[in-house]
Amino acid sequence: MKKLFVTLLLLGGLLQGCAPAPEQSQPAAPVQPEKPAETPAVPAATTPETPAPQQPANSSPEKPEEQAYHNDIFKDVTVKKVKADTFEVKGKAKVFEAVLNYSVEDGHNELAKGSATASAGAPEWGDFSFTLTVKKATPNSTLMLILFESSAKDGSRRMELPIPLPE
């Protein structure tokens, strides 16, 4: 009988912990006029998780700032066009044995691929920088740089980070 009473008491305590807490009254806050609702910037499913680039008030609108891209193993990745078909890629990576891989695709074909080395391997963040030269196969295509880590287990691509190359 004593065990049953203790069990019921414990069960009652658990159920009470799961119940919503009673609302406490708070003093009324002054009412302010509502502002028009802003549409939140939600990236599309294929867009990497990056904040929208903010342009400082003192910069000129002709030269947009470089946008930084990131995911779990790449961060602060920027791509800058230095010549007609040449791009400079910089960032930080947390990859196995400090080796990161890349490919450049136009939506149909792989136009270039290669690898680069970061200054440190995982679990540390290592800096990397490389120059990439790639020419469009068709003039109206958009080139996409894809950074990734090759799986040590089976060589498959892990943690891909797609980045559109600047026009």
Side-chain angles (χ1 to χ4, degrees), residues 57-162:
N58 61 356
S59 69
S60 63
E62 296 89 39
K63 183 155 183 159
E65 286 188 37
E66 296 174 357
Q67 183 172 359
Y69 296 86
H70 66 274
N71 65 10
D72 290 343
I73 63 170
F74 296 105
K75 71 178 182 180
D76 303 331
V77 180
T78 60
V79 179
K80 182 173 138 185
K81 188 171 188 174
V82 289
K83 291 184 192 173
D85 299 324
T86 306
F87 303 90
E88 183 179 71
V89 183
K90 292 182 181 180
K92 295 178 186 278
K94 185 172 27 172
V95 290
F96 180 67
E97 293 185 346
V99 177
L100 60 116
N101 297 285
Y102 66 87
S103 81
V104 179
E105 301 172 0
D106 66 359
H108 302 286
N109 303 308
E110 184 176 75
L111 304 175
K113 64 181 179 177
S115 62
T117 305
S119 62
E124 303 297 321
W125 288 100
D127 295 322
F128 69 88
S129 176
F130 63 93
T131 302
L132 169 68
T133 302
V134 62
K135 192 171 188 91
K136 288 185 177 184
T138 58
N140 293 331
S141 62
T142 299
L143 298 181
M144 188 69 70
L145 169 66
I146 303 171
L147 298 177
F148 60 94
E149 176 183 48
S150 290
S151 168
K153 183 177 180 180
D154 60 7
S156 63
R157 290 182 176 189
R158 291 189 60 249
M159 300 301 298
E160 291 184 343
L161 178 64

Side-chain angles (χ1 to χ4, degrees), residues 31-46:
V31 177
Q32 295 181 357
E34 290 187 19
K35 296 180 182 177
E38 295 181 20
T39 306
V42 178
T46 57

